[in-house]
Each structure stands twice: as C-alpha cells, then as structure tokens.
C-alpha cells in the first residue's frame, strides 16, 4: 500500500524535471525504473536505444539519474517531515560507459556499443562532459531516503521494457 501511495504521489505531481509539493521542491534528472504503462518515455527511450545499439558509439558524458521509486519516496518523506526548500534527488551520475557496462552484464545478447564517442557533447546542465556533476542529496538522506543502486534501477528498467515488448535482450 505504501508503494502504491508513493507512486500515486509521484505521478500526480510529475512535471518536466522538477516536482513541487507543498513548499518543498524535489528536483530530479533522468527518472528510470519499472514501467507502469506501455508508453515509452524519453528516459526509457535513451536506455532502450543504448541497449539496441541504435547509435554506434557510447555518449562521452555523464548523466544524473534516479529511480522513479526514489523520487516518489522523496516526495513522501518531504511531505511527512514538512521539509521546505529545495531537495536534490539524484541517485547516481554515471558515465554512459558505466551504464553500457551494466546493460552488457544484465542483457548480454543486446547490441550495446563498446566504443566511446571521442567527441564531447555541448555543455548544457551540470558539469562539462565528460566530468560527473557534483551534487549533494544530504537533505533527502537526512530525512531517511536511501537511494536504489544504479544497477538495480537499470535492471528493473530493462526487465520492464522487455516485459512490455519494447525489446528482447536475446
């Protein structure tokens, strides 16, 4: 029941990249995890394209990611503790090569590229590529949030994509 409540809270308050609740703001980046509906969102599309080898090279940059269940839990904790202000919600900031390595381990039959693109993408948000963005989630962690590890999040996302027929790892 608590998980269902967390997911309802998350989806009810979902906006583009920030989630506002009461007087607190829980900001997150690329949300991934188990899909509840058969519509492919932008975040899952990026993982699916990497899994399918849609691009021949791994992007030479890092990406802030968070498990969607962690974002839902962050909202719940901020609400329960009446926490105010900004709450950074980033579970990890891996280089895409790390994500590709996880994909190769959990779905060895997939066409995940192995070579890294030597060209750096233009700088947008966060640190310039290929550096990791420095961040602190201390505020949420002090409320009791424990982030899901990246490999578990990627694994659940891939399993969900396969279950919904978006791709097969074999």
């Amino acid at each position: 029941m608590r998980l269902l409540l967390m997911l309802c809270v998350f989806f009810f308050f979902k906006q583009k990249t920030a989630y506002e609740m009461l007087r607190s703001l829980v900001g997150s980046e690329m949300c991934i995890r188990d899909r509840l509906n058969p519509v492919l969102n932008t975040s899952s599309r990026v993982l699916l394209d990497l899994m399918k080898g849609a691009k021949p090279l791994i992007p030479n940059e890092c990406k802030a990611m968070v498990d969607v269940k962690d974002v839902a839990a962050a909202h719940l904790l901020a609400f329960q503790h009446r926490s105010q202000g900004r709450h950074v919600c980033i579970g990890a900031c891996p280089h895409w090569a790390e994500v590709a390595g996880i994909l190769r381990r959990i779905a060895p039959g997939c066409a995940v590229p192995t070579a890294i693109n030597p060209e750096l993408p233009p700088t947008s948000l966060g640190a310039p590529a290929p550096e990791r963005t420095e961040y602190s989630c201390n505020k949420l962690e002090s409320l009791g949030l424990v982030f899901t590890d990246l490999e578990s999040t990627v694994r659940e996302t891939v399993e969900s994509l396969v279950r919904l027929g978006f791709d097969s790892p074999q």
Side-chain angles (χ1 to χ4, degrees):
M1 184 66 184
R2 182 177 166 99
L3 176 60
L4 180 60
L5 175 63
M6 287 175 13
L7 290 172
C8 287
V9 166
F10 170 75
F11 287 110
F12 184 75
F13 288 97
K14 187 174 189 293
Q15 293 178 0
K16 186 170 178 145
T17 59
Y19 311 92
E20 193 170 345
M21 180 185 262
L22 297 176
R23 292 166 297 221
S24 65
L25 181 75
V26 177
S28 64
E29 197 37 59
M30 184 175 159
C31 291
I32 56 176
R33 188 62 191 263
D34 202 10
R35 312 242 3 101
L36 296 177
N37 62 48
V39 178
L40 189 63
N41 65 14
T42 305
S43 299
S44 294
R45 164 63 66 194
V46 173
L47 281 182
L48 182 61
D49 285 349
L50 190 59
M51 197 168 101
K52 292 170 105 178
K55 295 181 182 174
L57 298 171
I58 298 168
N60 194 3
E61 64 181 335
C62 295
K63 183 66 174 173
M65 299 180 180
V66 64
D67 192 304
V68 70
K69 292 180 182 178
D70 293 343
V71 176
H75 280 294
L76 207 60
L77 287 166
F79 178 76
Q80 288 173 337
H81 293 275
R82 306 237 186 269
S83 184
Q84 296 182 21
R86 292 182 165 273
H87 299 70
V88 176
C89 190
I90 299 174
C93 190
H95 190 280
W96 280 110
E98 182 181 347
V99 177
I102 292 170
L103 286 170
R104 280 191 294 278
R105 276 195 307 278
I106 64 176
C110 287
V112 180
T114 56
I116 297 173
N117 190 339
E119 294 183 29
L120 296 177
T123 300
S124 57
L125 297 175
E131 303 301 319
R132 293 179 196 271
T133 298
E134 297 292 323
Y135 60 92
S136 171
C137 299
N138 290 346
K139 196 168 184 179
L140 285 173
E141 290 169 339
S142 72
L143 298 177
L145 184 64
V146 177
F147 287 95
T148 307
D149 67 281
L150 180 64
E151 185 155 342
S152 296
T153 299
V154 172
R155 178 182 307 279
E156 293 267 343
T157 303
V158 169
E159 289 171 356
S160 177
L161 291 169
V162 171
R163 185 176 60 255
L164 291 171
F166 287 109
D167 196 38
S168 173
Q170 305 306 329

